[in-house]
Amino acid sequence: MIVQAFLRWAETARTGDRSRAADALGRAYLHAAMGAEERKAAGMAITYLLDDPSPRVRLALAESIADSPQAPRAIILALAEDQVEIACTVIARSPVISDSDLVDLIGRGDGMTRRLIASRPNLSRGACAALAEIGDEPEILILLESGTALITGISLRRIAERHGQRHDIRNLLLEREDLPSEARHMLVSHIADTLLNCGLVRSTLARGRIEYVGREADEAATVAIAGTTSQQEVPALVEHLRASGRLTPSFLIHALCLGKADLVAEAVSTLSGLGERRVRPILATGRLHAVRALFEACGLTREIAAVFVEAVLLWRDASAGRSTADVCGRLIERFSGAAGQHPAVSDMIQMIERRHRLEMRFAARAYASELALAA
């Protein structure tokens, strides 16, 4: 009888009256003491309000139940797909909406719906993954600016893949300490491409020079990233480098000259097909022939492998207090005579010489800074 009376009244009541009734009915359903029959009747009445022709009425209903964990799930989900203002009320606030509901709404909703979901506090890993997979720039920015969203490394990497060329998203990603190293390298590559393709650089440098600068910068950035990468992340970084064609002899000797043992060991393991447990002992204590065979298993020629073997032996001599400049200098002395006979060795020695000069400049700058501080 109560529902019938309400329905008859609603047919002729003004919009303002129906809005106030919707608010009162929603609050009564949640908080008033009711018998089973009364609650059932109240539930049918608020379900009827979902079809009210006025958005004001449906908004009043949404406002009255949005924050309650006892709100009827069917009502909340229906309101979540209503007009933007109404949907905003429940999507941004309702604790009734589950993670699977959010993932479903992300897939079926529009950009506004996804932005509302991205702004929810403590957004789950699943919802973050769905946004990372299909979200556009506005909702990704909201997601990354959230201080409570549970974004996994896989989702961060996917965002870097899809939106790494957007400078605002790229900057937010690079500020994160939990950004995977392969995603960080991907973003640094985007920055390098942007700089090298700008009009000023192309009008100032020849094409060959641009390619050389880009290659050197990419290698230096990759080695620097590897230096701050945890041992657990090194395999993923190496696999990323392999898939992108960056595990070149030039890159490996660069890393070896800088003493990046974990990176070199993982790269050699990947390229040779040998397990890391076999590779590390050979690099650490193996005899000359074993070390050379290891690098030859990576596809290096005997002449090129000899350069790597010498670098490994130099780094082993820890008692000599080797530095990168020392290793580079000894390699140049050892192979400068043979470089003319083997073009590939010559190219590698030239690269090592450039690295040697750069390390000497770094050392000079550090020395000058120390003198300035001491003065």
Side-chain angles (χ1 to χ4, degrees), residues 13-35:
R14 293 178 299 181
T15 299
D17 294 333
R18 297 200 311 277
S19 297
R20 287 187 288 273
D23 178 75
L25 190 58
R27 296 181 187 281
Y29 181 87
L30 295 174
H31 305 297
M34 295 182 182

Side-chain angles (χ1 to χ4, degrees), residues 210-283:
I210 292 175
E211 293 176 353
Y212 163 74
V213 170
R215 184 171 58 254
E216 289 286 300
D218 183 79
E219 289 185 359
T222 304
V223 174
I225 290 170
T228 60
T229 298
S230 65
Q231 189 171 346
Q232 291 77 14
E233 284 191 279
V234 170
L237 175 61
V238 169
E239 178 57 29
H240 165 72
L241 297 174
R242 185 202 62 78
S244 58
R246 287 180 167 88
L247 281 185
T248 63
S250 174
F251 170 75
L252 288 176
I253 196 65
H254 188 167
L256 191 52
C257 285
L258 291 173
K260 305 299 183 183
D262 289 337
L263 178 64
V264 172
E266 185 65 37
V268 170
S269 177
T270 297
L271 293 173
S272 66
L274 300 174
E276 189 180 359
R277 291 186 178 181
R278 295 181 61 188
V279 168
R280 284 186 178 273
I282 294 175
L283 291 176

Side-chain angles (χ1 to χ4, degrees), residues 32-77:
M34 295 182 182
E37 288 299 321
E38 289 179 308
R39 180 165 296 278
K40 181 179 178 181
M44 294 182 65
I46 60 176
T47 302
Y48 172 79
L49 291 175
L50 293 175
D51 295 319
D52 193 283
S54 173
R56 287 177 56 192
V57 175
R58 304 196 301 276
L59 177 60
L61 175 62
E63 289 282 0
S64 68
I65 65 175
D67 297 312
S68 175
Q70 282 77 44
R73 174 179 163 79
I75 303 297
I76 289 290
L77 292 180

Side-chain angles (χ1 to χ4, degrees), residues 160-333:
E161 290 173 352
R162 297 184 61 240
H163 299 288
Q165 72 279 9
R166 308 289 183 89
H167 72 277
D168 41 5
I169 291 178
R170 186 170 61 229
N171 292 342
L172 287 172
L173 286 171
L174 289 172
E175 290 173 358
R176 299 183 66 100
E177 295 182 359
D178 58 344
L179 182 69
S181 55
E182 65 271 25
R184 191 174 299 277
H185 177 265
M186 197 183 306
L187 296 175
V188 170
S189 297
H190 280 305
I191 295 173
D193 290 341
T194 300
L195 291 174
L196 295 175
N197 288 317
C198 75
L200 177 61
V201 172
R202 291 198 167 274
S203 63
T204 305
L205 301 178
R207 180 176 179 179
R209 179 65 177 170
I210 292 175
E211 293 176 353
Y212 163 74
V213 170
R215 184 171 58 254
E216 289 286 300
D218 183 79
E219 289 185 359
T222 304
V223 174
I225 290 170
T228 60
T229 298
S230 65
Q231 189 171 346
Q232 291 77 14
E233 284 191 279
V234 170
L237 175 61
V238 169
E239 178 57 29
H240 165 72
L241 297 174
R242 185 202 62 78
S244 58
R246 287 180 167 88
L247 281 185
T248 63
S250 174
F251 170 75
L252 288 176
I253 196 65
H254 188 167
L256 191 52
C257 285
L258 291 173
K260 305 299 183 183
D262 289 337
L263 178 64
V264 172
E266 185 65 37
V268 170
S269 177
T270 297
L271 293 173
S272 66
L274 300 174
E276 189 180 359
R277 291 186 178 181
R278 295 181 61 188
V279 168
R280 284 186 178 273
I282 294 175
L283 291 176
T285 60
R287 296 190 178 187
L288 183 149
H289 296 296
V291 178
R292 184 174 64 195
L294 181 62
F295 283 107
E296 289 179 0
C298 295
L300 301 178
T301 65
R302 174 153 293 201
E303 294 77 18
I304 293 295
V307 180
F308 282 85
V309 171
E310 186 68 19
V312 169
L313 296 179
L314 288 170
W315 275 117
R316 281 185 188 175
D317 190 5
S319 61
R322 299 289 184 202
S323 67
T324 297
D326 294 332
V327 172
C328 291
R330 292 289 296 275
L331 290 175
I332 294 167
E333 292 176 7

Side-chain angles (χ1 to χ4, degrees), residues 60-112:
L61 175 62
E63 289 282 0
S64 68
I65 65 175
D67 297 312
S68 175
Q70 282 77 44
R73 174 179 163 79
I75 303 297
I76 289 290
L77 292 180
L79 292 170
E81 298 192 61
D82 208 314
Q83 295 181 8
V84 172
E85 186 179 8
I86 301 168
C88 172
T89 301
V90 294
I91 290 176
R93 293 161 49 184
S94 177
V96 173
I97 299 178
S98 67
D99 292 343
S100 59
D101 295 330
L102 292 174
V103 172
D104 188 49
L105 287 169
I106 290 169
R108 293 188 294 108
D110 56 12
M112 177 59 72

Side-chain angles (χ1 to χ4, degrees), residues 106-178:
I106 290 169
R108 293 188 294 108
D110 56 12
M112 177 59 72
T113 299
R114 290 192 289 270
R115 288 193 286 276
L116 293 172
I117 294 173
S119 67
R120 281 177 64 100
N122 303 309
L123 197 61
S124 69
R125 291 177 176 86
C128 291
L131 285 171
E133 189 62 37
I134 65 173
D136 293 325
E137 182 178 5
E139 48 261 39
I140 295 299
L141 284 172
I142 294 172
L143 180 66
L144 292 175
E145 289 171 348
S146 169
T148 61
L150 302 177
I151 313 175
T152 65
I154 295 174
S155 295
L156 291 173
R157 183 164 57 247
R158 186 59 179 143
I159 292 172
E161 290 173 352
R162 297 184 61 240
H163 299 288
Q165 72 279 9
R166 308 289 183 89
H167 72 277
D168 41 5
I169 291 178
R170 186 170 61 229
N171 292 342
L172 287 172
L173 286 171
L174 289 172
E175 290 173 358
R176 299 183 66 100
E177 295 182 359
D178 58 344

